[in-house]
Amino acid sequence: MSKLTYIIAPAALLAVSALTGCSTDEIDTFNGGAQVYFERVAGSGTADSLTYSFAVQPAGLMTDIVEIPIVVTGEAAGYDRKVNIEVAPELSTATEGDEYTLQPAIIPAGAFKGVLKVEVRRTPAISEKERHVTFRILPSEGLGIDVNPKWIDYKLKINDILTRPPRWVYECQPYFGVYSKIKYRFIIDTLGIWNFPDSGENAISRGQMYFYQDKMKSALMQWEKDNGGPMLDENGNKISF
């Protein structure tokens, strides 16, 4: 099983394909002892959801771990503190035991942060329609929830639906050609990469993109040799790089 850690940061959200929902509330915790909530970032918009897509992961990956950060106010404790979390059924369509399994959430001794670990699973259902689950923090021993009510809910969306990256024409087409689902799937399986930003902190240089292009050409040649003919996309067109 691979492990994918999602970290909410001031500048950007990693991810997964990961897509976030946001709120712009400022953090203002209340008095009255230790309070616990899903991590928020003051003044920069606050992630209150994420999308995990198996479609941008290797085809053989059937399970993964998503980590959702949790924060505690007040003083650190000298013992592990369990965070009480429930699923809000009225805000969920995913089924526990099928699309996901919730693991215990702990704030380690001496720490102010912890994570809610969720095992997500690749099922036939999420290849047809996205499922989601909303987690809600409840009061527990030594941990209250006297904070903005929006901070105690967190939505995780799970799908296995491959969609064209919004900036394919600018970031990928000069190197990989016209988009198709089969081509994109082949790129992901070969390179282990689904995102190719041309700007920002994680920008990929032009030289690296040419390297990826060459690697895809070699992989395609090997595929055609192994399969005795050209690779065709979903529209019957021959794939090339």
Side-chain angles (χ1 to χ4, degrees), residues 175-186:
Y175 310 98
F176 302 142
V178 176
Y179 173 85
S180 73
K181 287 186 178 181
I182 291 177
K183 175 185 284 188
Y184 190 32
R185 177 78 265 165
F186 188 51

Side-chain angles (χ1 to χ4, degrees), residues 138-214:
L138 300 177
S140 55
E141 184 177 356
L143 295 174
I145 54 170
D146 189 15
V147 295
N148 188 320
K150 295 180 181 179
W151 304 345
I152 62 172
D153 282 5
Y154 200 98
K155 178 185 284 188
L156 172 62
K157 293 170 277 189
I158 312 165
N159 70 57
D160 191 11
I161 302 170
L162 195 65
T163 58
R164 188 177 87 161
R167 289 183 53 81
W168 176 277
V169 171
Y170 307 102
E171 296 174 341
C172 299
Q173 190 158 308
Y175 310 98
F176 302 142
V178 176
Y179 173 85
S180 73
K181 287 186 178 181
I182 291 177
K183 175 185 284 188
Y184 190 32
R185 177 78 265 165
F186 188 51
I187 290 170
I188 294 169
D189 291 344
T190 301
L191 302 179
I193 301 172
W194 61 272
N195 190 27
F196 301 89
D198 60 4
S199 61
E201 290 184 6
N202 300 316
I204 299 176
S205 69
R206 183 177 298 180
Q208 186 68 27
M209 289 301 295
Y210 280 123
F211 170 77
Y212 289 149
Q213 181 188 50
D214 288 341

Side-chain angles (χ1 to χ4, degrees), residues 37-78:
Y37 56 94
F38 290 109
E39 186 173 46
R40 297 295 190 259
V41 181
S44 64
T46 57
D48 56 13
S49 67
L50 66 83
T51 298
Y52 182 96
S53 180
F54 277 102
V56 296
Q57 301 297 338
L61 184 68
M62 301 306 295
T63 64
D64 208 345
I65 297 291
V66 174
E67 295 188 353
I68 303 171
I70 298 173
V71 177
V72 172
T73 66
E75 298 181 357

Side-chain angles (χ1 to χ4, degrees), residues 182-183 186 220 223-224 229-233 237-240:
I182 291 177
K183 175 185 284 188
F186 188 51
L220 182 60
W223 188 96
E224 292 175 340
M231 179 185 292
L232 303 180
D233 66 16
N237 298 319
K238 181 180 177 181
I239 289 178
S240 63

